[in-house]
Amino acid sequence: MGTTASAALAITMIAAVLLIIFGIRSLRLPNGKQRGFLMIACGIVFVVNVLIWTL
């Protein structure tokens, strides 16, 4: 895998972790339930996508 592809996967993993962290924080807000679940779902999709590309 080239350096550009590795960098893209690393950036995607950073984005996934941030989405999951802030999704959990958003779940704690009274009006942020839907946004929190969508952010967590998007983060999980990112992680699965990186796993597919690396295997």
Side-chain angles (χ1 to χ4, degrees):
M1 188 176 302
T3 56
T4 305
S6 295
L9 293 176
I11 292 169
T12 304
M13 284 303 296
I14 292 170
V17 169
L18 289 174
L19 278 167
I20 292 171
I21 288 171
F22 284 105
I24 291 170
R25 284 184 65 189
S26 181
L27 283 176
R28 295 181 180 169
L29 298 174
N31 296 330
K33 300 283 186 212
Q34 182 180 9
R35 182 177 21 172
F37 282 124
L38 289 174
M39 289 173 73
I40 292 170
C42 186
I44 291 170
V45 168
F46 279 12
V47 170
V48 171
N49 193 11
V50 169
L51 286 174
I52 290 171
W53 276 98
T54 55
L55 295 178

